[in-house]
Structure formats: C-alpha cells, structure tokens
Amino acid sequence: MKIVFATNNAHKLREVSQALGDTFTLVTPRECGITEDIPENEPTLEGNALAKARYIRSRTGLDCFADDTGLEVEALGGEPGVHSARYATDGHDDEANKRLLLERLADKENRRARFRTAIALIDGDGEHLFEGIVEGRIAREEHGADGFGYDPLFVPEGEERTFAQMSAEEKNAISHRGRAVRLLAEHLRGGKR
C-alpha cells in the first residue's frame, strides 16, 4: 500500500517506516516532484500537520499524511511547542535548539516535559487526526548518540535513559511519534482507505 508522507526528513522517514512495517510503502514529496519547502505557519501542531497534508494532496491528488511534533516543557509554559524545530533559529539547527533549551532551564528544578505528535491523514474518506504523547523530563546534559532533535535530552517516564540512548525499536515502542503512527496504521489497516 503506497502513501505519501509529507516529509523529506530522513530521520522521520526511517522512524515512521519502521513503525508502519512492511504493509506500507512511503513515498516522499520529492519523489512526487515536490521540491519546495512545505509551509508550516499554523499556531498548533494539528494545524501544521493538516496544512502540510492539504498541500501535498492538492498537488498530487494522492492519499497522504503529515506530522508535526513539539516538545512542551512545563516550566517554560509549553515552549518550544509548535516552534520546536526552529526554537533557536529560523533553520533546523538541533544543536542551537538544545543549547537554548538547556539555557532556559538552567535555574529550573521542574524538568517535566512531554513530546506530542499530531498526524493528519487525507484519504478518500476525508481528513483524520491522530495524536501521540509521551511524558518525561529534560536531562541536565545530553546523553546518547542515536536519535535526532531533542532526543539526547529527553528522558521518557519510567526510564533513566534518553531517547538517544535507546535503539530505534525501543524508542518507537514508547515514543510520541510511534504512538501516533500506530493509530494511523490501525486506521489504514481497518479498511478505511
């Protein structure tokens, strides 16, 4: 079953492919001839996911899905949230984002945080939203070499390791994106295509 995933992020593509399994073949926007950046100007994760999926659908006519993920830190009033990928700069600079996060949390005892992923699917039945959340905390320094983004700083509830210290399989089993993707897969496998 082929479906367009509105991302050109290799890390996300690999993570979602592993979570969906062999039943689905993911096609990227680039493979559909879409090389421009897809706008992400909405004030919510759900809004961005829907906007990206609508963008792909309008240009390809194909079933597609898009995600948006945010790290929401309690002591920072939910920051960086929808701005997670561009927290420190206009670009996707993971190192600058992590430095800024640690700076802003330097004098905070409350390290509680959660990762939240919203996935928007557009298929023949219309638009559908799926959400995955994982609660945890922000470590005081980076640990681990795997993963991407804030993974070296995020310790999920019930764990002592960061996402970056886990194998891809371990992370997918408990992560926000893994949870949202499983809901997406259940929907797609349920014949609602």
Side-chain angles (χ1 to χ4, degrees):
M1 187 182 297
K2 282 191 178 181
I3 189 165
V4 182
F5 179 23
T7 190
N8 287 313
N9 179 318
H11 296 291
K12 271 191 192 181
L13 199 59
R14 186 169 43 255
E15 218 174 76
V16 172
S17 289
Q18 288 171 338
L20 279 177
D22 297 339
T23 312
F24 304 94
T25 302
L26 297 183
V27 180
T28 66
R30 197 170 281 127
E31 291 170 314
C32 296
I34 299 170
T35 56
E36 66 271 21
D37 281 341
I38 302 170
E40 294 183 63
N41 304 318
E42 298 300 318
T44 65
L45 299 175
E46 294 81 3
N48 273 338
L50 275 168
K52 291 189 282 187
R54 288 172 181 154
Y55 188 90
I56 295 296
R57 179 75 171 202
S58 71
R59 282 157 180 76
T60 67
L62 300 172
D63 289 356
C64 60
F65 69 95
D67 82 315
D68 200 21
T69 293
L71 174 65
E72 299 170 345
V73 180
E74 195 172 276
L76 301 178
E79 280 187 13
V82 74
H83 304 290
S84 293
R86 295 173 179 84
Y87 192 40
T89 65
D90 284 341
H92 289 78
D93 186 339
D94 289 346
E95 295 309 311
N97 289 339
K98 289 183 288 190
R99 271 194 311 274
L100 180 59
L101 179 65
L102 288 175
E103 275 173 32
R104 292 201 172 153
L105 283 174
D107 63 345
K108 308 272 193 250
E109 283 307 309
N110 178 1
R111 311 291 287 191
R112 290 193 51 75
R114 69 180 188 167
F115 262 125
R116 194 164 66 86
T117 292
I119 292 179
L121 166 70
I122 302 178
D123 62 11
D125 294 330
E127 297 180 347
H128 315 273
L129 282 170
F130 309 94
E131 181 183 62
I133 296 173
V134 63
E135 301 286 343
R137 63 181 166 82
I138 303 300
R140 295 197 176 273
E141 60 189 34
E142 293 185 45
H143 299 281
D146 291 328
F148 63 101
Y150 298 95
D151 286 356
L153 293 173
F154 187 80
V155 180
E157 228 168 49
E159 270 290 340
E160 292 302 316
R161 298 174 298 163
T162 67
F163 273 159
Q165 292 174 292
M166 297 179 183
S167 69
E169 293 76 20
E170 288 175 310
K171 180 186 170 189
N172 281 338
I174 61 171
S175 80
H176 47 295
R177 188 170 292 110
R179 290 172 181 182
V181 169
R182 281 190 290 283
L183 293 173
L184 168 71
E186 281 169 27
H187 176 86
L188 292 173
R189 289 187 185 111
K192 297 181 169 85
R193 230 167 118 52

